Amino acid sequence: MNNKWKQIVAISAIAGISWLLVQNPYTQIYLTQLTDDSVASMKQEEELLLQIKESTKKYEIAPQDARIDSVWKTVPAYNGLKVNIDDSYKAMKKEGVFDKNKLVFQQVPAKIHMEDLDPAPIYRAHPEKPVVSFLINVAWGNEYLQDMLAVLKKNNVKATFFLEGNWTKKNPELAKMIKGGGHEIGNHSYSHPDMKNISAQATREEIRKTNEVIEAVTGLKMKWFAPPSGSYRDETVKIADSFGMETAMWSVDTIDWQKPSPEVLQQRVLSKVHPGAFILMHPTESTAKSLETLIIEIKKKDLDVVTVSEAVDEERSNP
């Protein structure tokens, strides 16, 4: 038998076996089962994809532009959130069931940011952001400063310290200690004047000299200016802006300079604290003794304690 006939016989045999397999009732059942399983799997995948798409209505959040509020002045922008359907599907495909904890989000930036606004002071972070910031103004109180730094370190909290220029010049090692703790540092004027009632030239000198001293001591460039006693006029804010600095105020005041008991100070803060709060304090005995309790109780309210720059960052956490 030549090769051609061998091929014909082999093909015929394969065809015959294939026909018998197809006609076999067990084969028919197996093929039917395969088809049913494939259809069920496709249906399950379609339902999962549909659930993920439907979730966008519940979990997606529109971004919010920065704006000037009539009361709170500068309000930072806050990113929105969008469900990444493809990545969310990949995260859930193996299990084949919808799980909101496996939704993958992407940030949606706002169109208007703080730097797009006219100069205005900022009293708090975005009111929906679950953070607060400690604004610690330092022009005196050296005897309590190291205790406060120790508490902040123990609780892994970073604050924003606003340093007076003259104080920094006299206490460079303490200024370096603040920087060494990873804290943010801002400008609190040079000689603690009433910024509302001094000339524009004097204002520029107060800000310039303080920036130079702090940078010389710490190597840091200033992003924030806190006028002493919160006293300013519109021109003050514009001059700070000309140095590339935002003017920071506060929404919760410890009034620690009045030397309240720790219990009074804690109640004062915790009864008023809110998402986005800027909490004003100084290195006083009252604050030093209250600080750890404040940190613990604020965290119990699901609020993180972060620097001012972190607080105004537009990043949003997943829902």
Side-chain angles (χ1 to χ4, degrees), residues 137 164 187-196 206 225-232 250:
N137 290 350
E164 184 195 71
N187 181 318
H188 192 47
S189 81
Y190 191 83
S191 59
H192 215 270
D194 183 343
M195 305 295 290
K196 185 176 182 179
E206 287 282 331
F225 170 65
S229 306
S231 179
Y232 70 91
W250 63 87

Side-chain angles (χ1 to χ4, degrees), residues 219-248:
L220 300 175
K221 290 189 178 295
M222 299 298 93
K223 296 168 53 180
W224 297 97
F225 170 65
S229 306
S231 179
Y232 70 91
R233 61 179 186 273
D234 289 345
E235 187 177 26
T236 312
V237 179
K238 291 176 181 177
I239 292 171
D241 180 72
S242 72
F243 283 90
M245 301 165 68
E246 299 283 349
T247 299

Side-chain angles (χ1 to χ4, degrees), residues 204-215:
R204 290 188 187 91
E205 282 300 294
E206 287 282 331
I207 294 175
R208 182 190 62 78
K209 285 172 64 178
T210 303
N211 282 352
E212 289 179 356
V213 169
I214 294 177
E215 185 172 350

Side-chain angles (χ1 to χ4, degrees), residues 74-177:
T74 297
V75 178
Y78 202 25
N79 286 354
L81 287 177
K82 181 179 181 180
V83 175
N84 187 312
I85 294 174
D86 290 340
D87 287 349
S88 297
Y89 178 73
K90 290 175 184 176
M92 300 180 207
K93 186 177 180 180
K94 183 177 179 180
E95 298 297 330
V97 294
F98 179 81
D99 182 351
K100 68 177 182 179
N101 295 317
K102 291 183 179 180
L103 285 171
V104 178
F105 293 89
Q106 59 191 64
Q107 300 277 322
V108 182
K111 295 180 179 178
I112 301 174
H113 311 278
M114 279 179 59
E115 56 267 27
D116 300 322
L117 304 176
D118 291 333
I122 179 168
Y123 285 78
R124 64 180 187 183
H126 194 283
E128 292 178 17
K129 190 162 186 176
V131 298
V132 303
S133 296
F134 293 156
L135 283 66
I136 305 173
N137 290 350
V138 183
W140 40 265
N142 293 6
E143 61 269 42
Y144 305 109
L145 188 56
Q146 293 189 52
D147 288 343
M148 291 177 65
L149 288 171
V151 171
L152 293 170
K153 181 178 180 179
K154 175 184 175 183
N155 290 275
N156 194 30
V157 165
K158 300 295 185 287
T160 299
F161 287 80
F162 289 91
L163 308 184
E164 184 195 71
N166 192 40
W167 178 91
T168 304
K169 186 176 181 179
K170 293 177 180 178
N171 300 278
E173 294 307 314
L174 286 176
K176 290 176 183 178
M177 191 178 295

